[in-house]
Amino acid sequence: MINRQTILSFALVALVLGGGLTDVVSASNSTINYEEGPDAYIYEERVDVAAHNMTAMDSPLQYYGDNGELRSLNATQNSSLNETVMVRYDKIDDEDLRKFPRSAENGSALDAGNWTTSSASVSSTSTSLTVSTSGIASGSSGTATYDRVSIDSDPSKRVLFTVFNVDQLDSAADVTIRAVDSDGDYKAAEINSSASTDSTHVAATGQGNGYVFQQKLVDLPTEGSGDGTFDNIESVEIVVSDADASVTLTGLDVERKSTIELGETYENGEATSFTEVDSPGEVGLTSLDTLPSMFDDATIEDLGVLGIEYRASDQPASDISANYTSADNYAGYPSKLDLYQRITVPTAIDISHHNLELRTEQKFISERYKVARMAEGTGDTDFENISSWSDLSSTYNENGATHVLDASIQPGQSYVVNTLLVLQDDEVRMLQDTSPAGGAAPVSDGGIFGSIWTWITGAIATLSLGYVKLRGGE
């Protein structure tokens, strides 16, 4: 006699055999566990972002689209990088660099209209001041003077801070940026091609951009025509002597009493904070987050963002097709995965791309790859309608290796990678498991049907027991 328990068990078997097998080995979707499965990607050595707004943007991967709206790259950064961004400090636009002196009525020291000159010329933009000379000979000099400052308290405790470019520096030229007291004594930063930046007072030794100098005045030698005692700060002078030179300042201050840590770079095998830039050009930072708080509302021009990976896992679901089916034609493998991954590197006026490669990490032995191919310039063509493929079978030649599939990637083009993998039962479940905990479900040694039967019998036992309990144990 067939009781209700038996009927329930047969119903469960019919239900699972009718639908459960399809759920395990036959699925067409964009879901794949990329920790375990193929994750093709385009690697970019560097992307330049024209204007990174520290207030509006919370990631270096953000940029302004051509319509002015904030956008993000469908990408991640290589997590193993020691330095993630490149910054040139003269390209940091921030009001804090231009607010000397603090008394607004005195007028900004970076406004050419507030300077007087002798055998020199000054000009300015909204973010910079340029001092230059022409025709300076040995033994003569040109001077630009800003005298709208008066600091009587603790002058030696102040810090001479400046961000500057050396646009011209003739071989004999000597440039000094001076904090001057009322009787002619001064403390100065020096720019001279014959000097050495090992000296505390030397700010630069050649032409270039992005220099930063900051030193406490007490640590700089006292020079000049006064009484030899540095009593106050009554002016700032930029003096060019013995030959012609031109310098552009994007930051200037002699009021602050402490130096500023400019960020964190990586040198000699460790992350290191720094306060000066005495070599021209960009500085690699471990993170934008290490910039000082004074730049929290800055705009960084031409920010270099390093090690970008446009991974398949970062692309829209519509650009991925993962089709798991039975592998009837492949002995020893009950299942197969036909995987299509489309990757596109975006273009915009505000981003510039450098050195892109299409790559993949081989996560199975070569014999498992029954198809390996790529297509370029596909646009949004449906995968089944792509006709121009390049065979990559010989490229997948080492399990665990990273392969370069194409070293001439063009931004704005779409690239599709198609791989057909033959799989074991546990591998199917592993690749379909995208739960936060990760890891595949337990498997048996009996092949796909053995695994499913184990699951069925366990489910039947559990549900039957629940049925009996609900019926009071009958």
Side-chain angles (χ1 to χ4, degrees):
M1 178 177 177
I2 299 178
N3 58 28
R4 281 170 294 181
Q5 230 176 300
T6 304
I7 293 173
L8 175 61
S9 298
F10 278 118
L12 285 168
V13 172
L15 175 63
V16 175
L17 288 178
L21 180 59
T22 300
D23 292 339
V24 175
V25 299
S26 180
S28 181
N29 52 53
S30 61
T31 300
I32 183 170
N33 178 357
Y34 286 105
E35 291 295 323
E36 305 293 343
D39 190 8
Y41 64 101
I42 292 176
Y43 179 82
E44 180 167 23
E45 184 179 281
R46 168 178 176 153
V47 62
D48 290 336
V49 179
H52 179 86
N53 187 310
M54 294 286 285
T55 301
M57 300 176 177
D58 56 15
S59 165
L61 299 180
Q62 292 180 299
Y63 64 98
Y64 289 110
D66 293 348
N67 61 0
E69 294 182 358
L70 193 62
R71 306 195 66 178
S72 294
L73 297 174
N74 288 332
T76 55
Q77 269 191 292
N78 186 331
S79 59
S80 66
L81 293 175
N82 293 324
E83 296 173 347
T84 63
V85 293
M86 302 295 293
V87 174
R88 220 177 82 185
Y89 281 80
D90 65 301
K91 291 192 172 185
I92 297 179
D93 180 4
D94 188 89
E95 189 63 33
D96 280 353
L97 294 173
R98 302 185 292 273
K99 69 180 182 182
F100 167 73
R102 304 298 188 271
S103 300
E105 64 271 15
N106 288 336
S108 170
L110 293 189
D111 183 344
N114 297 325
W115 291 70
T116 59
T117 61
S118 174
S119 300
S121 63
V122 294
S123 61
S124 60
T125 68
S126 60
T127 61
S128 67
L129 173 84
T130 297
V131 177
S132 59
T133 61
S134 178
I136 298 298
S138 177
S140 64
S141 62
T143 303
T145 303
Y146 177 86
D147 60 5
R148 300 187 180 192
V149 58
S150 181
I151 299 173
D152 295 319
S153 63
D154 300 322
S156 292
K157 294 182 180 179
R158 309 292 173 162
V159 172
L160 173 54
F161 172 90
T162 181
V163 182
F164 64 98
N165 301 334
V166 182
D167 309 308
Q168 177 187 350
L169 187 66
D170 290 358
S171 59
D174 182 77
V175 181
T176 50
I177 302 172
R178 305 174 178 180
V180 187
D181 76 2
S182 56
D183 64 4
D185 293 313
Y186 65 85
K187 308 272 192 173
E190 183 179 16
I191 303 167
N192 191 308
S193 60
S194 300
S196 170
T197 53
D198 290 337
S199 299
T200 304
H201 69 286
V202 176
T205 59
Q207 291 182 207
N209 302 311
Y211 291 104
V212 183
F213 177 89
Q214 55 176 331
Q215 290 288 337
K216 283 184 174 293
L217 295 181
V218 69
D219 295 327
L220 299 176
T222 300
E223 304 175 77
S225 58
D227 60 8
T229 302
F230 190 71
D231 298 313
N232 46 46
I233 302 174
E234 293 298 318
S235 64
V236 174
E237 293 180 352
I238 299 175
V239 181
V240 180
S241 304
D242 297 328
D244 287 323
S246 176
V247 295
T248 297
L249 279 61
T250 60
L252 178 65
D253 195 351
V254 295
E255 287 185 289
R256 188 182 289 110
K257 286 188 176 182
S258 59
T259 58
I260 302 164
E261 288 191 353
L262 298 175
E264 186 180 81
T265 190
Y266 195 86
E267 60 182 27
N268 300 322
E270 62 181 0
T272 305
S273 296
F274 62 98
T275 58
E276 292 187 293
V277 180
D278 56 19
S279 296
E282 298 174 312
V283 179
L285 301 181
T286 58
S287 168
L288 269 184
D289 295 338
T290 68
L291 285 170
S293 59
M294 67 180 286
F295 295 146
D296 284 351
D297 56 354
T299 295
I300 303 173
E301 298 176 0
D302 298 325
L303 175 69
V305 187
L306 307 179
I308 309 302
E309 297 176 351
Y310 302 86
R311 289 191 169 270
S313 52
D314 295 317
Q315 307 312 303
S318 58
D319 283 337
I320 309 298
S321 174
N323 191 19
Y324 301 87
T325 56
S326 297
D328 299 330
N329 298 327
Y330 299 101
Y333 297 99
S335 304
K336 63 185 178 183
L337 165 62
D338 194 12
L339 178 64
Y340 291 84
Q341 298 171 315
R342 190 194 320 267
I343 307 172
T344 306
V345 175
T347 58
I349 294 172
D350 268 13
I351 52 177
S352 301
H353 297 283
H354 306 276
N355 302 331
L356 297 103
E357 294 180 341
L358 179 62
R359 299 179 179 180
T360 192
E361 300 160 4
Q362 184 175 332
K363 296 184 177 179
F364 295 85
I365 61 173
S366 304
E367 290 74 14
R368 297 290 197 93
Y369 292 84
K370 301 307 179 183
V371 173
R373 58 183 183 170
M374 65 163 287
E376 60 182 296
T378 65
D380 58 0
T381 303
D382 291 342
F383 296 130
E384 63 270 21
N385 294 331
I386 297 173
S387 58
S388 180
W389 292 98
S390 299
D391 183 66
L392 300 172
S393 300
S394 61
T395 305
Y396 289 75
N397 54 20
E398 183 182 352
N399 189 20
T402 296
H403 303 299
V404 176
L405 306 179
D406 191 332
S408 58
I409 298 302
Q410 298 300 314
Q413 294 275 11
S414 293
Y415 296 81
V416 174
V417 177
N418 173 221
T419 51
L420 180 66
L421 280 164
V422 291
L423 302 168
Q424 298 295 344
D425 309 337
D426 56 339
E427 292 167 339
V428 173
R429 288 191 294 279
M430 176 180 67
L431 291 175
Q432 289 182 322
D433 181 10
T434 58
S435 62
V443 298
S444 74
D445 296 327
I448 188 72
F449 288 105
S451 300
I452 293 173
W453 185 253
T454 300
W455 183 84
I456 292 171
T457 54
I460 291 173
T462 301
L463 292 176
S464 296
L465 179 59
Y467 179 85
V468 169
K469 288 182 177 179
L470 286 171
R471 298 295 297 169
E474 71 175 18

